[in-house]
Amino acid sequence: MSENRNQTKAERALTSAPAGYSEHHTGYAIDLGDGDNPSTHFSVDFAKTPAFRWLERNAPRYSFELSFPPGNPQGVAYEPWHWRFTGDRESLETFFRVTRPVPNATR
Ligand SMILES: [Zn+2]
């Protein structure tokens, strides 16, 4: 969204996720891009880049997973750039709580 270019990543995170699902607040989430394809930053087109293909193959080895794949139970728009670390007990517990569908969640 070009109108968001002047926002900081934190501001963008706040606006792109429903209340309660902004994983950046946990400190375990990160947004990634492909430096050779900057036009795909924060776009579903990032999924077509070599960087994304590398992530798909290698992220699990480093205990990262895609937070919002297509059809995620939270109902958050597909965000191929947004990954979360699940490599220790605290982070796993954080996301176990967060990823439970919440009835009447406001967006
Ligand atoms: Zn993000």
Side-chain angles (χ1 to χ4, degrees), residues 17-75:
Y21 293 126
S22 183
E23 292 187 334
H24 292 285
H25 291 175
T26 68
Y28 293 116
I30 188 170
D31 292 328
L32 297 167
D34 186 323
D36 292 331
N37 297 282
S39 66
T40 66
H41 291 174
F42 301 105
S43 161
V44 293
D45 287 341
F46 175 60
K48 301 171 184 172
T49 66
F52 183 81
R53 284 193 291 276
W54 186 93
L55 284 163
E56 280 192 307
R57 283 194 307 270
N58 296 289
R61 186 190 314 169
Y62 299 100
S63 301
F64 276 82
E65 66 181 17
L66 194 59
S67 290
F68 305 117
N72 62 78
Q74 301 96 313

